[in-house]
């Protein structure tokens, strides 16, 4: 439990009792996300403040060990991954199918909702998705960031034959690049300031890389249909916008800046579309199917494994180890 | 003809000979657009420079007085309005239906293509649209800026029941506000820094107005589905973005700034869409139909009429007369 | 309560107790729908059978007279209209924003869910929509069929300048024709076999009518962007398909046939789109806004008013009185 | 040249002189399409009648051997595949980006336009697409039917994670199934009445097959997002419609019947979309990219190679040899 910035403690808590529509899940693997690290280091993300002790974690796979009285579609023993955000189900956004924008969303590991870096969790059965046999428990924990990537590709409208530029080769950028190919993109280029990240990208099969520490995107004659910004750096965005073809789409996934500066003439003369993404909606089934069919390689993304007692080391790994891509905690 | 900034002369030229697919049009009315004024004052717009004497004008209605040898769908005597941009018809953008983005576009009154502030003009028959009896010659000249407005509404996806905010009550803003209602918007609010412009808007039936010289949009609790920025002022855009609902759309029509600054958190947390427009494609039939059905009032927009010899006065009127909305030249 | 085909009785029942998120609504007006008549006459619609006594009615307006403990957004005294279908909120269809296709939908007046031909009804606050002052209680009861029309227009993608053909001038056809204009259609033609219905359409301002008992649509040179079939007659559909332009859309709203026969060459050579509609999703806010702005005239649709004791007469009126368009029961 | 049904002759003709924007192409490979066979056997397809001697063929690859005076984007020696339909470029459909629906379309091998079963052909440079090194000349000839498949998938909106059912395992069905996977479909099932065709499908990697001569689709519990009908048999369509999920899409590619019978209740209760396709628009770049990246295997589709003198044998092969999938003529 996170008590204060830098103060993470392991504590004993009651095993939760599942409500009528809930399943009780024994947690098997939890991926560490940049937002977990940010809460650990700063105790807040923007206006969301950790004011009471909080369990972190929201990239989760596990096993169903008990069923609420009304559960109809899950069984004990099911291997599942968890969609961490449960929306209200009847506001304007939920009704319109944009439940990720629900103002009443309760999201694991986001104050005041406890997360999954724990042994047992009760969740609504419809938010515990069965894992096919071809998706391991560890890969199952990464379905959540893959859903972020699927959602970005879907909003960008990536389709067969598209050329896609991904700025930033962190975990999300690497997943977006893989997902873009699964959506049919035939040219995918990824950029980063870190040569090690780009090496990692090439090992995942993303052969076109640009090291923007030495050669800015603007130096490369690129013509892309879609830009997915995953670095969170305004400069990366500004440079990359010039590569977009008429009617192209830029999707801003990376966070970190308060403002983005966009060239008005390009927006108008090329009628570009720009949008941001916030989590995902209706993306788990596709993410699971892509992983199951081997269209996206999740296993290779995992660069470290930790026990619950080592959660602090897991949280620190992404900062301290430049070779770290995705750390996993196995309670 | 524009010889240099501020140097506009009336000259005698040969009546053009229509090509096989062209009609010869006797010009009846030409609206003065901000871009004409800009060329007149500065001799350029961005990278497009008036390096040889240029005829201005692109908002045009007239009468067909001669037919090319292959013309099949127009007749002598047809009252027509002219779509001023003729694209190449076979590049990537043209084939995709985005012919406004054609890099080979030839557009009236834009260097090096002469415009319509003249007596006779030869144009491809398919770019001379017949005017219904309910659309006057003068209104016909304003189909062009109405097409700009229709295109903005179409790209914004305005539909029945939408709430729309239009920033800037110049000619384009006033047409966008009217067009938005024709697209089904049930709440349309328009802003400006000029009380006179807002009075004019109210006379056109846009009852909800905000004078942003005294009360910024941010002071008003607005929730809109669509923002159409027509003022060309970055500050107007920044203030108005906050009024957009989740999944809302901002369309940037106004020109003048080189960069727009957008709040990243709003783009992401509300998954807003932002785009710009450049002229229009496939918008003339709808614009003509809206004018013919009285859904948009073009006549009331005309605040001054000038002869060809008075073209300079027409060009100056928008700058010198705060009550001027749209000046018309009648050759 | 409907006990058997033709056996409708008025009975005393307990006033329902609202759940925590429910409001208790005193019913003011209930429109009679063709489906109510069908249940009354046949005791079933397709596979949905009235096996236990059923209260009919689902087009409802009323007044909030009591609040559940958790109700936050409604007040006692609110004038409301009711969205009659409450979906589960978390199945695949609900999450995707297509809640009208939810397999767990509970819909007023559809077995086994009692309807609104009663004095009091408890409904979730989010399905009781406040009526603006410009929408009367009686018009409020017709928001439900207007939502059907709005949904059809939305699925058809009707936009400014479109030409629309509506086959069938019953209550739904008349509302679709009105809604189509509100969506920006500049040409709307309606057909029927009844001259009286077409007279009624003209009184509502739909000036272009075709009496298909004497002149089939195929005799009229029509070119439309959208066809909305509201007659439920296969022949009407087959005749009208020929009027659709390339890339046109046909939306089938009318029920009654088991199969529709479509010309394959037209579907392919003109790449037409065909779909059906089932109720509506996210359509109430737009329907209410259109009624409030006077874009759709609901009052004039009401041709008969009955007390709860006269419900049988109300149900029979549509069959027995050719001049009847919409009967209203006022409990 | 086809003089009459069954009467195909090799004749000497002048090498065409390319117009200013044309390239002269030496034909290398021509695929035989079902429509060629139909013209050969019946002398007509529907209303399109071979009234004068006609050169057949429209699936073409070749080499640029001469350039028109204005050609700017192609060079002598370029290996190219030809988009066989040249639209007018300025009608309503062309302007809207639906140039495949242009009523003035001139299409190779369709009366009265001669096709590509010849040695030399002059075509507009923009309709001769360069082949990447990874696409062979023979595969290049199959870009045309692949474009048909890409267009069907695009109209169906196939995206990552979709389940797709393809009825009919002829050349188009096999290409649609492959293209569907390239668009991200994770489950693709194909049906046919021929075990040999299904074997062929499995060799192409489409592992889920249904032999509908023994087990109708209706016997298999399928839930698909998209149905692409490629058999041209009404019965196949009727059976397969039942497999579509709510909001699913059926795209009718196969020709042969005059009417299709669709179940109205399914169209409405599940709000299915149905459309047909006619050739393709803007599909060549994506088709070429998919072939170049190995996402679609064109080489394995070729089951016979013939000289120009053997064109009759090539035309007959598809009828006479049940193992034939795609015959190629190499002039």
């Amino acid at each position: 439990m996170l008590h204060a910035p830098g103060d993470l403690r392991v504590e004993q808590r009651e095993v939760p009792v599942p409500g009528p529509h809930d399943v009780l899940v024994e947690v098997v693997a939890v991926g560490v996300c940049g937002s977990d690290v940010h809460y650990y280091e700063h105790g807040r993300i923007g206006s969301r403040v950790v004011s009471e002790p909080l369990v972190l974690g929201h990239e989760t796979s596990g096993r169903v060990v008990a069923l609420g009285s009304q559960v109809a579609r899950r069984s004990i023993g099911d291997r599942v991954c968890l969609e961490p955000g449960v929306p209200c189900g009847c506001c304007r956004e939920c009704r319109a199918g944009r439940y990720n924008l629900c103002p009443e969303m309760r999201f694991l590991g986001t104050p005041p909702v406890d997360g999954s870096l724990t042994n047992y969790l009760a969740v609504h059965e419809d938010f515990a998705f069965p894992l096919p046999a071809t998706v391991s428990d560890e890969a199952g924990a990464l379905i959540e960031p893959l859903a972020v990537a699927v959602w970005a590709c879907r909003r960008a409208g990536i389709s067969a034959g598209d050329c896609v530029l991904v700025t930033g080769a962190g975990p999300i950028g690497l997943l977006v690049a893989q997902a873009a190919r699964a959506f049919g993109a035939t040219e995918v280029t990824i950029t980063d300031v870190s040569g090690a990240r780009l090496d990692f990208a090439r090992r995942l099969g993303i052969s076109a890389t640009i090291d923007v520490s030495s050669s800015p995107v603007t130096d490369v004659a690129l013509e892309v249909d879609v830009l997915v910004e995953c670095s969170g750096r305004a400069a990366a965005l500004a440079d990359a916008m010039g590569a977009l073809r008429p009617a192209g789409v830029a999707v801003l996934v990376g966070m970190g800046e308060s403002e983005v500066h966009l060239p008005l003439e390009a927006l108008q003369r090329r009628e570009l579309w720009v949008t941001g993404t916030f989590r995902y909606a209706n993306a788990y089934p596709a993410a699971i199917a892509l992983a199951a069919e081997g269209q996206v390689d999740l296993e290779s993304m995992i660069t470290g494994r930790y026990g619950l007692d080592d959660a602090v080391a897991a949280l620190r790994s992404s900062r301290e180890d430049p070779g770290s891509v995705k750390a996993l905690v196995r309670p």
Side-chain angles (χ1 to χ4, degrees), chain A:
Chain A
M1 303 202 71
L2 183 68
H3 285 256
D7 177 7
L8 193 77
R9 312 178 195 164
V10 177
E11 298 181 5
Q12 292 297 326
R13 303 182 79 189
E14 296 281 308
V15 173
V17 177
H21 293 283
D22 291 347
V23 292
L24 184 68
V25 173
E26 184 182 7
V27 175
V28 172
V30 181
V32 172
C33 170
S35 66
D36 297 318
V37 178
H38 203 280
Y39 279 124
Y40 171 69
E41 293 181 345
H42 303 284
R44 66 190 300 161
I45 294 181
S47 56
R48 286 166 290 175
V49 181
V50 180
S51 50
E52 311 219 355
L54 178 79
V55 179
L56 294 174
H58 59 269
E59 306 179 353
T60 323
S61 68
R63 205 161 48 88
V64 173
V65 293
L67 306 175
S69 58
Q70 309 278 317
V71 167
R73 292 178 292 279
R74 299 290 175 271
S75 306
I76 288 179
D78 280 358
R79 297 170 56 246
V80 293
C81 62
L82 306 186
E83 181 166 350
V86 179
C88 81
C90 65
C91 70
R92 175 184 178 267
E93 309 312 327
C94 283
R95 287 200 204 182
R98 302 182 292 256
Y99 64 80
N100 55 320
L101 307 183
C102 169
E104 306 294 326
M105 173 73 84
R106 292 177 57 81
F107 196 91
L108 293 184
T110 298
V113 182
D114 279 332
S116 60
L117 276 170
T118 180
N119 291 107
Y120 293 98
L121 210 61
V123 295
H124 191 289
E125 63 169 328
D126 287 337
F127 290 80
F129 289 80
L131 288 174
T134 52
V135 180
S136 72
D137 290 339
E138 296 197 339
L142 300 197
I143 294 296
E144 201 275 344
L146 179 55
V148 171
V150 163
W151 182 241
C153 292
R154 203 183 278 164
R155 273 177 76 76
I158 294 175
S159 188
D162 278 354
C163 302
V164 176
L165 175 62
V166 181
T167 50
I172 294 295
L174 293 167
L175 287 168
V176 167
Q178 291 193 70
R181 287 192 314 192
F183 273 72
T186 42
E187 279 183 49
V188 178
T189 302
I190 196 164
T191 73
D192 208 294
V193 293
S194 151
R197 292 276 185 173
L198 296 175
D199 286 343
F200 199 93
R202 282 188 292 269
R203 286 199 297 276
L204 286 170
I206 314 298
S207 52
T209 61
I210 302 176
D211 185 334
V212 285
S213 69
S214 52
S215 56
V217 171
T218 44
D219 286 5
V220 186
L222 270 182
E223 290 217 324
V224 302
D225 301 291
V226 169
L227 162 67
V228 189
E229 207 300 297
C230 299
S231 74
R233 298 155 60 102
L237 175 63
D239 284 354
M241 288 291 288
L244 274 169
R245 283 185 179 148
V249 181
V251 175
L252 313 184
V253 182
M255 291 180 287
E257 313 267 347
S258 59
E259 274 198 335
V260 289
H261 298 192
L262 300 174
L264 181 59
E265 189 174 4
L267 274 178
Q268 292 183 326
R269 292 295 299 256
R270 284 184 273 146
E271 292 197 337
L272 306 177
W273 284 101
V274 177
T275 192
T277 60
F278 185 63
R279 296 167 181 163
Y280 38 75
N282 303 303
Y284 262 60
I288 293 168
L290 293 182
E293 294 293 307
Q295 306 270 36
V296 173
D297 176 359
L298 297 175
E299 303 278 352
S300 301
M301 306 272 299
I302 303 166
T303 49
R305 292 168 179 83
Y306 302 82
L308 204 48
D309 294 344
D310 287 329
V312 168
L315 287 163
R316 286 186 174 155
S317 64
S318 69
R319 279 280 185 274
E320 295 173 359
D321 174 8
S324 167
V325 175
K326 179 59 81 175
L328 222 59
V329 177
R330 303 206 46 157

